[in-house]
Amino acid sequence: AVWDLVTGQFLRTLQGHVAGALRGITFSHNGRMLAAFGVDGFMVLWDVASGQERRRFSRAQWPIFSPDDAFLATGTETSDLVLWDTRTGETQRTFDDGGYPLAFLAEGRGLASRRLGRVILWDLESGEERRTINEVPELAAVSPDGRWLATGGADRLARLVDTASTLVERVFEGHTAHVM
């Protein structure tokens, strides 16, 4: 369902998932598109203004939009990372065993993904892996400029890693419990 936040008025219901609950939902940067994935195994991309379904992607989950909203990166049920064109719905690139997307980097020219204790930095033009940062705990987030990776986990530490080097820049101690 979509509401106008200023007036509180209900606008429309977006139809498209065949069964079950939604597992995640995200707006494009310009607010014109909405992507949602559910337990039905599909991700649906809607036009917010009209409420019309634009595209349907099978086996896609955890979507993030590129800074210009031209692309949508998703994880899949088989742990691949897929880059989709939001205008055509065509697959632009598949990164085998790439995990799920964390963030677009460097104005959309790179992509960070998360996979089994590591973060992988990808070059979108070549499709090559630029770098892997190992021993990343459960939580990971990338700064808006793509320069920093922040991590946290059961070791009760928060870390900042410079994505351009292999150095851990800072370790923040003092958490008395799991960093969540």
Side-chain angles (χ1 to χ4, degrees):
V2 179
W3 285 269
D4 183 311
L5 287 179
V6 174
T7 66
Q9 179 184 6
F10 171 78
L11 299 176
R12 71 186 51 81
T13 299
L14 303 174
Q15 301 289 329
H17 287 281
V18 290
L22 292 180
R23 293 183 54 217
I25 191 165
T26 188
F27 276 100
S28 61
H29 297 281
N30 64 16
R32 295 182 183 148
M33 294 177 281
L34 183 69
F37 69 100
V39 296
D40 62 0
F42 288 96
M43 185 186 64
V44 180
L45 182 64
W46 287 283
D47 178 273
V48 174
S50 69
Q52 296 297 308
E53 182 179 310
R54 292 181 62 165
R55 303 280 179 257
R56 177 176 294 267
F57 306 93
S58 65
R59 302 178 351 196
Q61 52 193 2
W62 306 111
I64 63 168
F65 286 91
S66 63
D68 62 1
D69 294 327
F71 299 101
L72 192 60
T74 68
T76 69
E77 296 167 351
T78 58
S79 298
D80 292 336
L81 177 66
V82 180
L83 187 65
W84 309 89
D85 186 310
T86 59
R87 296 161 299 222
T88 66
E90 298 294 318
T91 301
Q92 294 299 300
R93 187 174 303 279
T94 299
F95 303 91
D96 294 333
D97 212 25
Y100 65 87
L102 279 177
F104 279 88
L105 309 171
E107 289 121 25
R109 292 188 303 267
L111 183 63
S113 69
R114 171 69 194 234
R115 178 81 174 127
L116 297 173
R118 64 186 188 266
V119 169
I120 306 164
L121 306 178
W122 303 94
D123 182 300
L124 291 182
E125 189 173 309
S126 69
E128 298 295 316
E129 184 178 322
R130 260 194 252 161
R131 177 172 169 223
T132 296
I133 301 168
N134 292 307
E135 297 180 27
V136 175
E138 302 88 73
L139 297 176
V142 177
S143 64
D145 64 3
R147 180 167 177 217
W148 299 103
L149 170 68
T151 69
D155 61 4
R156 300 184 313 230
L157 299 174
R159 293 178 176 84
L160 273 181
V161 179
D162 187 333
T163 59
S165 73
T166 58
L167 301 175
V168 173
E169 295 291 327
R170 290 202 171 94
V171 176
F172 300 96
E173 299 180 39
H175 291 280
T176 58
H178 191 111
V179 177
M180 301 187 341

